Amino acid sequence: MSTKFPEIQGGGSLILAWQIKGKEVLVVAAGRIVNLLNADAKVTVVCPRNGLNEEVAYRVNNGQVKHVDRVFLPVDLEPEKKVAMVLTAIDDPDASTRIWKYCKQMKVPANIADVPSECDFYFGSVHRDGPLQIMVSTNGNGPRLAAAIRRQIGQMLPEGTGDSVKRVGQLRRKLRKVASGKTSRDISKRMAWMSEVCDKWSTDDFNDMDDEDMDKLVRYYESGEVPSFEEIRLGSRDHVVWEFDGTFGWM
């Protein structure tokens, strides 16, 4: 029986953007450190120094991550250390499983590399352009294929998409200053108006928008109207003075 609601497709995973900024992340051996640092996490690597690869050693030596020069011990997950997640990538399956079981006991989410049954979360293939992040996940079925799909998606996006996202963020912050109501009705109205702006304006429009354009645009908020970018630049059509410079020609 068909309905207006989407069909349930089991077997997927809940894809989230985890706000890990400023939180402690424990990495046993090496892996995913760049992703964590890009998300402003506080990273501690637990691994004998001779087990560090070139990049991790570089980041340790430059103070980008903390380093504990030994194997993992239960003390690494003591509550006062406030570890938000654990990532492991070691060649000892038994040791990995022991770490995973201890994480479960301490209720700390863990990712045990290449062992899906011992992962509370997965990493996908990510396209990054400034604030824009697009993750592709195959739920463990084909990581290499996920990377290929991610590249295809990135190539399809208009040039400057990341910059457009930045401008939209600036516009939202400016709108919240102008319309600072906090009731559910206020929030719904702001979201609806911003959605209409994003539907009506193109990537190029947002890229070309400057602070003066933003100020002009948010003035339309109370009326609920969403002008085009051309109307913002030229002003209301009732007030535009159209000049003829002879370049159009006549039939």
Side-chain angles (χ1 to χ4, degrees), residues 26-95:
L26 187 67
V27 177
V28 183
R32 301 290 180 180
I33 288 180
V34 172
N35 304 69
L36 296 169
L37 294 177
N38 284 341
D40 300 321
K42 297 179 179 179
V43 179
T44 298
V45 176
V46 179
C47 177
R49 179 167 284 275
N50 60 12
L52 300 178
N53 65 29
E54 182 180 2
E55 180 181 357
V56 178
Y58 166 82
R59 300 196 185 283
V60 168
N61 294 336
N62 284 274
Q64 295 178 355
V65 302
K66 298 178 183 177
H67 178 226
V68 179
D69 188 5
R70 57 166 170 75
V71 298
F72 171 86
L73 295 174
V75 69
D76 293 319
L77 288 184
E78 289 182 343
E80 60 267 23
K81 295 191 176 179
K82 299 181 179 179
V83 175
M85 68 166 65
V86 172
L87 312 180
T88 77
I90 56 180
D91 295 330
D92 187 337
D94 292 334

Side-chain angles (χ1 to χ4, degrees), residues 123-125 136-150:
F123 289 92
S125 184
V136 178
S137 173
T138 60
N139 286 291
N141 287 283
R144 296 291 296 179
L145 180 59
I149 294 171
R150 180 259 302 164

Side-chain angles (χ1 to χ4, degrees), residues 119-156:
C119 291
D120 294 303
F121 56 92
Y122 304 99
F123 289 92
S125 184
V126 177
H127 170 80
R128 180 74 186 270
D129 182 3
L132 175 66
Q133 292 178 264
I134 300 174
M135 189 183 92
V136 178
S137 173
T138 60
N139 286 291
N141 287 283
R144 296 291 296 179
L145 180 59
I149 294 171
R150 180 259 302 164
R151 287 192 294 270
Q152 292 173 13
I153 292 174
Q155 292 167 359
M156 291 168 58

Side-chain angles (χ1 to χ4, degrees), residues 153-179:
I153 292 174
Q155 292 167 359
M156 291 168 58
L157 294 173
E159 185 177 353
T161 299
D163 291 331
S164 294
V165 175
K166 289 181 183 178
R167 302 302 281 170
V168 170
Q170 293 170 352
L171 179 62
R172 289 184 64 199
R173 291 188 288 274
K174 190 178 289 287
L175 177 61
R176 283 197 292 267
K177 290 182 180 179
V178 172

Side-chain angles (χ1 to χ4, degrees), residues 153-206:
I153 292 174
Q155 292 167 359
M156 291 168 58
L157 294 173
E159 185 177 353
T161 299
D163 291 331
S164 294
V165 175
K166 289 181 183 178
R167 302 302 281 170
V168 170
Q170 293 170 352
L171 179 62
R172 289 184 64 199
R173 291 188 288 274
K174 190 178 289 287
L175 177 61
R176 283 197 292 267
K177 290 182 180 179
V178 172
S180 57
K182 297 181 180 180
T183 67
S184 58
R185 183 177 181 180
D186 294 327
I187 294 172
S188 295
K189 182 179 178 181
R190 283 199 301 270
M191 290 177 64
W193 189 79
M194 277 299 309
S195 295
E196 192 172 348
V197 172
C198 290
D199 288 342
K200 189 168 185 176
W201 286 37
S202 69
T203 299
D204 289 338
D205 291 339
F206 285 116

